[in-house]
Amino acid sequence: MSSQLITPEWVKDAVFYQIFPDRFAQSRRVEKPANLEPWDSPPTVYGYKGGDLLGVVERLDYLQELGITAIYFNPILQSAANHRYHTHDYYRVDPILGGDGALRELLDAAHARGIRIVIDGVFNHASRGFYPFNHALENGAASPYLDWFYFDQERLRAGRPLNAYPRNARERRDLGYKAWWNLPALPKLNTDTPAVRRFIFDVARYWIEFGVDGWRLDVPQEIDDDEFWREFRRVVKGANADAYIVGEIWFPAQRWLQGDQFDAVMNYIFTRACLGFFGGEKLDTSMRPGGFRLKPLDAVQFARQIDSLLGLYDWEITLAQLNLLDSHDMARFLTLVGGDRERLKLAVLFMMTCPGAPCVYYGDEIGMEGGEDPDCRRSFPWDESRWDHDLLAFFRRAIALRHAHPALRRGRYLRLHADAARGVYAFARQAAEETLVVVLNNGAAPYALDVPVRRLLPNGASLGDLWGEETARVARGRISGLTLPPRAAAILSPAP
């Protein structure tokens, strides 16, 4: 392993929870503006529910009982959007979330429990309310901030104003500046300008020194400059060598994962593979998360995709990948698989036994559903009568299993068996002191175990099922003696 290929040790043992701040929890200690949507009403594009960071502080017991050891927050800095990807002030936590003081309290309370905090960094674009852009909007060609963005300077010198608030599609084609996806609210920053680079690097350092444990980077491929990200890494790691840097990349990301830029990416390749296999014939293929087409996979196709995925990066990087089943940018997993909780359960168990840090999107553990944005960003229902308690217990148990077994977090991964006809996939995780065999029956019929184990386990070995109460045995290099019901799993460990 290259000396550069070092990722934070804590991430390899972490279980993440993703929180969309406006929708998770409210605290009465945070004063709210008057015009909020009712908490339980359907989410809208522009409306606010009024979630805040002190609400999260008050729910840390819940997260700790779930087994969460790290939280990834969607943007928390001041913004005029409920998702806060339109940053107004990079040095201020949004007042609706409770401001800087709420973040300070959250960090102190979370760290006291051993929970890390990673926040979203939006550095490709800013907002119309960001001071340098607003300055140019007001002053045109006379503004000293023209090189902070990609303005049509000839237009400004001719005295024509920017068209930052277009009234129709025709006007939107003539903004007078470059915007992300041509969205007028998201002017693209010119990161070739030294002052912009210094600004972003200072922001990156500031919040790490404030106490956050890492950055999730929004659309980092849009800043097409490897040296920018190398310097970003040097600044962040200089402030805290243990800080986690994870990029939002929806496709193979070898370019950014050579040890000199990011530690990991959001593992959407993993997401699509899980949707394909565990969703199967129930998968809704009409939706395209991130623009990618979904398709059902049989066990052999799934095994090939997982093999390919695990071969993309150095093992040190693979162990730090942020594995997820869904997020704020796509329909929820449960909705995409037709509300079938047994399919979700198998996918969760696979995520908890797979290399990389699992990440639970808020509310998945109690059965929250939701279609594409904004429906995937519903408010968390704190009325427990609305929870799926069986599903919640499953999540807790699966997370506890991962915490209890180092092999599931750091052990090598070995594909053992894939049966397309029966919908069965089996693999092993092996560390110095333990070998675990995971068998997933995603089929509609019971499966009598017949899994080759090569030389991993000796003939005659008796195996206990950590997930059930049955036992199995090894004979002639194969595991047998146990029948799995449909949509069920076994996690087998040699009996002492």
Side-chain angles (χ1 to χ4, degrees):
M1 184 184 73
S2 164
S3 60
Q4 283 189 310
L5 278 171
I6 298 173
T7 53
E9 287 297 308
W10 64 266
V11 173
K12 300 161 193 173
D13 296 318
V15 175
F16 277 81
Y17 193 82
Q18 182 188 346
I19 290 178
F20 192 84
D22 188 59
R23 309 290 159 77
F24 183 64
Q26 290 179 325
S27 171
R28 294 180 179 177
R29 294 186 289 150
V30 177
E31 186 176 352
K32 295 292 189 297
N35 189 31
L36 294 178
E37 294 179 340
W39 186 258
D40 291 328
S41 65
T44 62
V45 172
Y46 295 106
Y48 283 75
K49 304 295 187 185
D52 57 66
L53 298 186
L54 294 187
V56 179
V57 172
E58 292 162 8
R59 302 296 180 174
L60 287 177
D61 282 347
Y62 169 83
L63 296 178
Q64 194 165 33
E65 289 169 7
L66 182 59
I68 299 306
T69 62
I71 303 172
Y72 151 47
F73 282 94
N74 290 104
I76 63 172
L77 303 181
Q78 183 173 296
S79 172
N82 58 35
H83 48 72
R84 296 184 172 87
Y85 284 97
H86 301 176
T87 313
H88 277 205
D89 189 338
Y90 284 86
Y91 290 100
R92 188 183 186 198
V93 174
D94 198 304
I96 298 176
L97 294 178
D100 293 7
L103 177 59
R104 175 78 277 145
E105 183 173 335
L106 171 64
L107 288 170
D108 291 345
H111 288 165
R113 297 168 182 257
I115 297 174
R116 311 268 184 157
I117 302 296
V118 173
I119 64 173
D120 217 316
V122 188
F123 301 124
N124 171 68
H125 49 265
S127 71
R128 291 173 294 207
F130 179 49
Y131 176 76
F133 185 84
N134 188 254
H135 198 285
L137 194 61
E138 294 292 335
N139 295 286
S143 173
Y145 293 102
L146 295 188
D147 61 351
W148 278 57
F149 298 91
Y150 295 91
F151 291 119
D152 180 346
Q153 297 197 27
E154 182 176 335
R155 169 195 184 123
L156 292 176
R157 286 193 294 271
R160 293 177 56 213
L162 301 173
N163 190 21
Y165 293 90
R167 293 169 295 181
N168 51 49
R170 180 184 60 80
E171 288 189 2
R172 184 169 160 175
R173 291 192 291 269
D174 184 32
L175 301 177
Y177 58 93
K178 186 183 293 187
W180 186 69
W181 280 38
N182 209 39
L183 296 171
L186 298 175
K188 182 173 172 60
L189 287 160
N190 183 358
T191 53
D192 290 334
T193 298
V196 174
R197 294 169 88 96
R198 288 193 300 270
F199 174 83
I200 292 173
F201 298 152
D202 189 66
V203 169
R205 180 189 301 106
Y206 178 85
W207 290 111
I208 295 294
E209 291 178 345
F210 192 91
V212 304
D213 299 291
W215 287 101
R216 178 268 190 186
L217 302 171
D218 182 59
V219 295
Q221 77 278 6
E222 299 285 345
I223 300 179
D224 188 15
D225 180 348
D226 290 350
E227 188 50 42
F228 175 92
W229 292 119
R230 291 187 185 107
E231 180 62 19
F232 183 93
R233 181 182 182 86
R234 287 191 288 268
V235 167
V236 168
K237 298 292 186 175
N240 179 1
D242 246 359
Y244 184 43
I245 303 173
V246 55
E248 180 207 7
I249 306 286
W250 290 69
F251 46 85
Q254 294 94 327
R255 170 182 173 183
W256 298 274
L257 297 178
Q258 300 298 314
D260 59 347
Q261 297 182 56
F262 311 157
D263 294 312
V265 294
M266 298 181 76
N267 204 351
Y268 282 109
I269 302 175
F270 173 91
T271 309
R272 294 192 291 273
C274 288
L275 281 165
F277 178 54
F278 298 108
E281 72 279 5
K282 286 198 172 181
L283 181 63
D284 184 346
T285 58
S286 68
M287 292 189 242
R288 297 196 172 192
F292 290 86
R293 185 169 66 89
L294 299 175
K295 60 180 180 180
L297 301 173
D298 65 33
V300 172
Q301 293 168 327
F302 177 68
R304 288 172 181 161
Q305 289 206 9
I306 296 302
D307 287 348
S308 174
L309 174 60
L310 294 177
L312 282 178
Y313 314 118
D314 185 276
W315 186 242
E316 179 77 3
I317 299 288
T318 296
L319 290 176
Q321 291 292 86
L322 191 67
N323 292 340
L324 64 160
L325 297 177
D326 50 16
S327 75
H328 65 293
D329 277 329
M330 58 180 286
R332 288 186 181 261
F333 190 97
L334 191 55
T335 297
L336 285 168
V337 301
D340 191 323
R341 280 154 167 72
E342 301 311 309
R343 294 172 185 269
L344 172 60
K345 286 178 179 179
L346 276 187
V348 168
L349 196 56
F350 178 65
M351 181 170 69
M352 295 300 165
T353 55
C354 194
C359 183
V360 177
Y361 186 42
Y362 77 100
D364 278 358
E365 74 279 7
I366 58 165
M368 281 182 67
E369 293 200 44
E372 294 175 314
D373 173 21
D375 195 42
C376 56
R377 304 172 182 182
R378 299 178 190 178
S379 301
F380 192 104
W382 287 105
D383 176 357
E384 294 188 25
S385 68
R386 297 170 58 189
W387 296 4
D388 183 330
H389 289 274
D390 174 70
L391 187 60
L392 177 59
F394 185 96
F395 268 82
R396 286 175 174 165
R397 187 179 174 208
I399 292 170
L401 181 81
R402 183 177 181 87
H403 287 318
H405 293 276
L408 297 179
R409 307 192 303 273
R410 296 165 180 263
R412 66 178 181 138
Y413 185 102
L414 297 142
R415 169 184 166 185
L416 298 178
H417 183 58
D419 186 325
R422 293 184 175 90
V424 173
Y425 178 67
F427 60 96
R429 300 296 308 276
Q430 186 175 53
E433 297 182 356
E434 66 176 346
T435 298
L436 301 179
V437 174
V438 181
V439 186
L440 304 172
N441 178 14
N442 192 46
Y447 172 67
L449 260 66
D450 183 22
V451 176
V453 291
R454 307 176 188 174
R455 297 180 181 177
L456 285 177
L457 298 169
N459 287 323
S462 177
L463 307 177
D465 183 2
L466 301 177
W467 199 248
E469 298 179 354
E470 305 296 325
T471 59
R473 61 183 179 274
V474 180
R476 298 180 182 178
R478 308 182 77 85
I479 298 176
S480 61
L482 189 158
T483 297
L484 278 179
R487 316 276 180 231
I491 300 175
L492 302 169
S493 174

